[in-house]
């Protein structure tokens, strides 16, 4: 317990845990860097050369604060989405924006619905504002829309989280199913629709922008961290109803987005050719990971994301042993945190040489484990 | 009012105001860029060439998330400060860190003491968590330590803000006076000691690190945005008691600091020669601004910061007219927001050509105003 006595009761009640341990921490523990970085669903195919050029060219002016309105980026995103820029808010990654929406809705005891094993950082924020998480089990490795709806109604929850495509399983629902889910929600329930992996999904997996655009209780979260390859730059955005989006301005860190991040995101959004290149690489890499998994009798789960979650066919102990074996061989991957998802390991797509390291290490481990 | 009905009562009660309007917003309104950017206390002398080189070299890897522990930077800062790295936490600028400390201590109705006209972003966070601000007038353009202490005691306030050197006035107290103030505070009151401008101050203006290091109720906030020239990179840090610092980990956005910002801050901290160069430039520029002010019969207030606040000798209307005249002539400056400080204008130090633009514009305005 801290010696200073006037931290809030809520703050003092929080555990000192973190949502994710970074690969750098593991590298320090191991005393060696990873040879393959396939655990955080980063984009190892990299950002566009045009983005690197932009960062390099603009580095000289990083003594200037960024525009706190994120004006140029919001204009570009609005144009891209077909929405007025007032319906878009930019923040320090989806993580930061999730913290804000939780803060805007959750008070101590507020019920919040999510899926059991879904994004831990959302849960971290809910706990951080004293919310009461109600977690719905996945069904057949998919977030269970019917069950989520039932629990939302039962709990009269003002906030529900859905990621589509899903992390950590890579599965997805159709845009039509997500739209129907959103439409079926009480108007008193805000849907946080996390579309971090939207770009790598089939078009049919995403509701059209217009399909949800009239709903004050739907906010869609997207990021430059995945397909655009800018995880280190911390730029995410939310779009939806203008008044709901405007609430973020009342609490956000106005100067929180870094200047090179703004510029990089804008350049990334413009470089559609590079995005197409990345999407082709991701698709090919998904196929390769699936083939490797199949080769060991594992079951790769069909993925709409930039990773493949692989059912190792036994229990969590077995999956964890495989994960540990990969880590010890210099291959950074992660696995889902809770049963029954934790019978799986999760491998991010990446450049062929890194996937080859994963392949070789996995073969060694499977042989050893039997 | 938003159509979604379940934003918290607190969130709905907040005004949609922002702490600062960015110069980019003013540029869009004017339809032209500023010719001199002297309003946000940025460092127009720029970051070190070694920092630019670091950013350029590391841009290629910005697809990776940053280390959520900010390990290397914390180690370096700990070494620089002579403190264990566990006593340092890094965040998205002082603004972001101020939001966290307010969140950790303030609940609806909590009294928080600051100075009337001090940093608006701190007030924004206090309001955002429902705190009740109690603002103490400046005395002779200095934050009034005795009065702050009296009000803290009267209000039994768990949180008090002090910037030393001060923004927006540029004035300062001695390190000894600040230490005495901290020691006189109740142990139940957390001192947020904002030392954003510490590098440009005389050494005697800063308490030694050891002077306050044993106090769980003192947290010192510093930044790479000012003397280090990295405002756009969003890197600030807090140091103090290990348990008090550890509280930030319970609520911070762990992946919030961008990767190039981490690298840039580390490089900036190492380049002591460039810092010396900047400090000499700042000092010289302060003198030049003071001389220009004196030339018009204005009173430059002695400054320990990278800006000079100038008493224009009349009322707020007059100071505002001068500010508006400068803005309309393409010279971006700011002024304090409340009386009696708002008889002043505030000019950031900067490269001589920009100061010359300020000088020429001011001469025109003074002649016109009479």
């Amino acid at each position: 317990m801290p010696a200073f006595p006037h931290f809030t009761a809520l703050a003092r009640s929080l555990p000192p845990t973190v949502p994710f341990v970074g690969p750098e921490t593991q590298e320090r523990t191991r005393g060696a860097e990873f040879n393959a970085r396939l655990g955080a669903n980063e984009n190892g195919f990299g950002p566009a050369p045009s983005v690197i050029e932009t960062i390099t060219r603009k580095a000289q002016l990083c003594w200037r604060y960024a525009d706190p309105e994120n004006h140029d980026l919001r204009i570009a995103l609005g144009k891209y989405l077909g929405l007025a820029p007032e319906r878009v808010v930019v923040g320090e990654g989806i993580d930061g924006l999730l913290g804000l929406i939780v803060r805007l809705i959750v008070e101590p005891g507020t019920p919040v619905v999510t899926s059991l094993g879904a994004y831990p950082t959302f849960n971290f924020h809910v706990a951080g504002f004293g919310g009461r998480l109600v977690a719905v089990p996945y069904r057949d490795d998919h977030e269970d829309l019917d069950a989520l709806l039932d629990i939302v109604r039962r709990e009269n929850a003002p906030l529900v989280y859905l990621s589509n495509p899903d992390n950590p399983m890579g599965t997805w629902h159709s845009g039509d199913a997500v739209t129907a889910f959103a439409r079926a929600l009480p108007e008193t329930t805000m849907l946080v629709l996390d579309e971090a992996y939207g770009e790598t999904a089939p078009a049919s997996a995403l509701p059209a922008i217009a399909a949800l655009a009239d709903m004050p209780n739907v906010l869609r979260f997207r990021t430059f961290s995945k397909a655009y390859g800018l995880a280190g730059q911390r730029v995410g955005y939310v779009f939806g109803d203008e008044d709901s989006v405007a609430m973020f301005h009342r609490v956000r860190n106005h100067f929180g987005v870094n200047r090179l991040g703004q510029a990089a995101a804008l350049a990334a959004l413009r470089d559609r050719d590079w995005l197409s290149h990345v999407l082709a690489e991701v698709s090919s890499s998904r196929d390769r990971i699936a083939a490797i998994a199949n080769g060991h009798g594992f079951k790769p789960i069909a993925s709409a994301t930039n990773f493949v979650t692989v059912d190792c066919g036994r229990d969590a102990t077995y999956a964890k042993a495989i994960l540990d074996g990969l880590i010890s061989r210099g291959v950074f991957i992660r696995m889902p945190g809770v049963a029954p998802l934790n019978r799986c390991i999760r491998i991010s797509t990446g450049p062929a040489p890194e996937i080859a390291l994963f392949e070789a290490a996995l073969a060694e481990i499977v042989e050893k484990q039997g």
Side-chain angles (χ1 to χ4, degrees), chain A residues 203-292:
Chain A
S204 63
L206 299 181
I209 301 303
L212 304 175
D214 65 327
M215 299 182 69
N217 64 325
V218 175
L219 291 169
R220 301 172 75 168
F221 289 64
R222 294 191 181 178
T223 182
F224 287 90
S225 295
K226 304 300 177 184
Y228 291 105
L230 293 173
Q233 291 295 130
R234 316 313 303 125
V235 187
Y237 59 102
V238 173
F239 59 96
D241 174 74
E242 182 172 339
D243 291 333
S244 295
V245 162
M247 292 298 286
F248 285 81
H249 299 306
R250 302 188 183 192
V251 293
R252 72 188 179 90
N253 181 7
H254 289 268
F255 289 85
V257 178
N258 70 95
R259 198 167 197 277
L260 293 176
Q262 284 180 343
L266 194 54
L269 191 65
R270 285 175 178 155
D271 197 332
R272 310 314 292 172
D273 288 346
W274 184 261
L275 181 64
S276 298
H277 159 75
V278 166
L279 297 183
E281 293 278 10
V282 165
S283 176
S284 163
S285 186
R286 282 196 305 230
D287 292 346
R288 182 77 198 112
I289 294 167
I292 294 166

Side-chain angles (χ1 to χ4, degrees), chain A residues 15-102:
Chain A
T17 54
V18 303
F20 286 103
V21 175
E24 293 80 10
T25 303
Q26 295 173 279
E27 288 176 333
R28 287 188 288 269
T29 305
R30 297 176 66 232
E33 291 193 6
F34 286 117
N35 304 312
R37 187 167 162 123
L38 303 170
N41 303 339
E42 296 159 331
N43 177 357
F45 306 108
S50 65
V51 170
I52 303 299
E53 190 275 326
T54 298
I55 292 174
T56 302
R57 183 163 41 83
K58 301 223 170 186
Q60 194 72 45
L61 286 181
C62 71
W63 58 271
R64 298 184 174 190
Y65 286 104
D67 173 16
E69 293 188 21
N70 299 291
H71 177 270
D72 295 352
L73 183 55
R74 282 192 306 108
I75 295 286
L77 284 167
K79 196 168 170 184
Y80 170 67
L81 298 165
L83 293 174
E86 292 74 20
R87 302 184 63 170
V88 183
V89 60
V90 175
E92 304 94 317
I94 285 181
D95 284 2
L97 292 161
L98 287 175
L100 295 178
I101 191 62
V102 169

Side-chain angles (χ1 to χ4, degrees), chain A residues 72-272:
Chain A
D72 295 352
L73 183 55
R74 282 192 306 108
I75 295 286
L77 284 167
K79 196 168 170 184
Y80 170 67
L81 298 165
L83 293 174
E86 292 74 20
R87 302 184 63 170
V88 183
V89 60
V90 175
E92 304 94 317
I94 285 181
D95 284 2
L97 292 161
L98 287 175
L100 295 178
I101 191 62
V102 169
R103 174 176 165 191
L104 286 168
I105 293 178
V106 174
E107 296 174 310
T110 301
V112 178
V113 176
T114 185
S115 297
L116 184 62
Y119 196 48
T121 305
F122 179 75
N123 302 354
F124 171 79
H125 289 307
V126 171
F129 288 97
R132 180 169 59 82
L133 269 172
V134 186
V136 178
Y138 280 61
R139 187 172 61 185
D140 299 334
D141 298 326
H142 287 67
E143 296 191 38
D144 187 341
L145 298 180
D146 294 337
L148 286 166
L149 192 58
D150 285 348
I151 301 295
V152 162
R153 287 179 177 141
R154 192 191 74 194
E155 295 282 350
N156 195 20
L159 185 60
V160 59
Y161 174 89
L162 176 71
S163 62
N164 190 62
D166 174 71
N167 176 25
M169 301 310 282
T171 54
W172 69 99
H173 291 287
S174 71
D176 288 346
V178 172
T179 299
F181 173 75
R183 294 275 170 200
L185 285 172
E187 291 180 3
T188 51
T189 303
M190 178 66 78
L191 169 60
V192 166
L193 181 55
D194 182 344
E195 300 181 319
Y197 299 96
E199 288 82 4
T200 55
S204 63
L206 299 181
I209 301 303
L212 304 175
D214 65 327
M215 299 182 69
N217 64 325
V218 175
L219 291 169
R220 301 172 75 168
F221 289 64
R222 294 191 181 178
T223 182
F224 287 90
S225 295
K226 304 300 177 184
Y228 291 105
L230 293 173
Q233 291 295 130
R234 316 313 303 125
V235 187
Y237 59 102
V238 173
F239 59 96
D241 174 74
E242 182 172 339
D243 291 333
S244 295
V245 162
M247 292 298 286
F248 285 81
H249 299 306
R250 302 188 183 192
V251 293
R252 72 188 179 90
N253 181 7
H254 289 268
F255 289 85
V257 178
N258 70 95
R259 198 167 197 277
L260 293 176
Q262 284 180 343
L266 194 54
L269 191 65
R270 285 175 178 155
D271 197 332
R272 310 314 292 172

